Amino acid sequence: METKIVTVDPKDPDRHVIEEAGRILRRGGLVAFPTETVYGLGGDGLNPNASEKIYRAKGRPSDNPLIIHIADSDSLDTITSDFPWQAEALADAFWPGPLTMILHKSSKVPYETTGGLDSVAVRMPSHPVAMAVIQAGGGFIAAPSANTSGRPSPTEAGHVIEDLQGKIDMIVDGGMVGIGLESTIVDCTEEVPVILRPGYINQEMIEKIVGRVKMDKGLLITDETVKPKAPGMKYRHYAPKAELTIVEGESTLVVRRINELTDEFRRQGARVGIIGTDETAGQYRADVVKSIGTRKEEESIALHLFGILREFDEADVEFIFSESFRTPQMGQAIMNRLLKAAGHRIIYV
């Protein structure tokens, strides 16, 4: 398959490009496009064949639910069977934006889209390109991250090209995304809402709107026996090719321990990479040292995480050691992704 790659202004995308993307989606094809979180791989969420194409293109397990992206709240009546007050309050507070909600699905949503579940994941993104593509494509676009399943999510079109060129119909290049981590997912089918995936919108922000919420136990472990209610709960995600280990503790001790481990592995002939920050990168000795950003700006850490993990694949290292990033607002989301990428390998010092 030839994949058409088109660049657009992220704030004012070309109408002709958007119309072409819409035609592809309406006939059951696949289009990758930017959102404010990561690039999404879009297909008609009400077309079971299109959902099956998404799974095949990504190499994604078919029981891993897809998120349906909408462009207006009225669309909820078509794809959900109820809309509890908590969901309404969260939509009023955070839509359009990086929040996905799990709701009871209507009969119009195929099980191919929901991974066999009676619930559906729904989000209304805020990115102008995403909104335009959704509207042009029929209003109900299933769009997981536009990467090969298990790899770091794409934060720029080049990542999508690397993983999916030749497998999908079109890539709309709208430049670098704004957040860099996937949306927060909240299950609103329970009496007390449950956070299934942390993101830019954190637990404190959600509790200010709806009161008490729970954190799903599946956030702490990778459990192959769990049937996922949301993307990423069951399977290892975001993983670089090298073995990644996180080292957590007081900064001076972390630097010392990472250097000790690096020296040990290099003596054995292995190539080693290190993920540090602007504050610490100069203190490390390894084959490849990369700064993820400054701890003074946690948004930069979130934005660069997936790109850094991809860069290490190109650097051909065998082992990666990373600092921990438990920052104030997005630390929970950053560590969720980093722990999954590491297979939950963490050393405390």
Side-chain angles (χ1 to χ4, degrees), residues 84 86-87 90 101-104 186-191 193-194:
Q86 295 99 325
L90 290 173
M101 291 188 284
I102 307 293
L103 302 162
H104 292 293
V186 180
D187 184 359
C188 292
T189 66
E190 305 286 341
E191 184 175 345
V194 181

Side-chain angles (χ1 to χ4, degrees), residues 207-271:
E207 288 182 332
K208 284 182 179 179
I209 304 301
V210 298
R212 177 172 169 250
V213 299
K214 299 178 182 177
M215 296 295 293
D216 190 275
K217 295 178 181 178
L219 292 173
L220 305 177
I221 58 173
T222 304
D223 188 348
E224 295 295 330
T225 67
V226 172
K227 188 170 181 63
K229 294 190 77 172
M233 289 189 66
K234 176 178 176 181
Y235 299 98
R236 186 183 178 208
H237 271 54
Y238 324 118
K241 295 174 184 176
E243 180 179 289
L244 172 64
T245 301
I246 303 162
V247 181
E248 181 169 304
E250 192 274 323
S251 180
T252 303
L253 297 178
V254 167
V255 171
R256 181 189 305 165
R257 183 59 178 145
I258 287 178
N259 279 332
E260 290 171 350
L261 290 164
T262 298
D263 291 345
E264 178 183 337
F265 278 86
R266 293 179 78 190
R267 281 194 297 268
Q268 298 171 16
R271 279 180 57 81

Side-chain angles (χ1 to χ4, degrees), residues 44-232:
D44 183 352
L46 304 187
N47 180 341
N49 293 327
S51 293
E52 289 173 350
K53 285 182 181 180
I54 291 174
Y55 287 114
R56 286 198 300 271
K58 286 177 58 70
R60 180 186 178 100
S62 61
D63 64 347
N64 196 358
L66 306 177
I67 297 172
I68 292 185
H69 291 61
I70 60 175
D72 61 79
S73 296
D74 291 341
S75 299
L76 289 166
D77 293 336
T78 300
I79 59 175
T80 66
S81 60
D82 65 353
F83 196 51
W85 72 266
Q86 295 99 325
E88 184 174 357
L90 290 173
D92 288 342
F94 300 119
W95 276 3
L99 175 72
T100 295
M101 291 188 284
I102 307 293
L103 302 162
H104 292 293
K105 83 175 191 71
S106 74
S107 60
K108 292 185 179 180
V109 181
Y111 284 109
E112 287 82 357
T113 299
T114 67
L117 299 176
D118 289 318
S119 57
V120 60
V122 188
R123 177 163 106 85
M124 186 191 302
S126 61
H127 196 290
V129 175
M131 291 288 271
V133 169
I134 292 164
Q135 290 169 333
F140 304 97
I141 304 302
S145 55
N147 58 299
T148 300
S149 187
R151 291 210 70 203
S153 297
T155 54
E156 57 185 75
H159 299 157
V160 184
I161 294 168
E162 180 182 347
D163 282 12
L164 298 178
Q165 187 171 17
K167 298 179 181 179
I168 64 177
D169 299 278
M170 187 179 192
I171 298 171
V172 180
D173 181 354
M176 189 80 171
V177 301
I179 294 176
L181 297 181
E182 303 90 343
S183 59
T184 304
I185 300 180
V186 180
D187 184 359
C188 292
T189 66
E190 305 286 341
E191 184 175 345
V192 177
V194 181
I195 297 175
L196 304 183
R197 183 174 72 189
Y200 179 84
I201 297 170
N202 62 27
Q203 183 175 0
E204 181 180 356
M205 294 164 70
I206 293 168
E207 288 182 332
K208 284 182 179 179
I209 304 301
V210 298
R212 177 172 169 250
V213 299
K214 299 178 182 177
M215 296 295 293
D216 190 275
K217 295 178 181 178
L219 292 173
L220 305 177
I221 58 173
T222 304
D223 188 348
E224 295 295 330
T225 67
V226 172
K227 188 170 181 63
K229 294 190 77 172

Side-chain angles (χ1 to χ4, degrees), residues 327-345:
T327 56
Q329 178 183 333
M330 296 184 68
Q332 192 174 59
I334 294 167
M335 290 305 297
N336 170 260
R337 304 325 192 264
L338 195 58
L339 282 164
K340 281 187 172 291
H344 291 265
R345 279 185 299 272

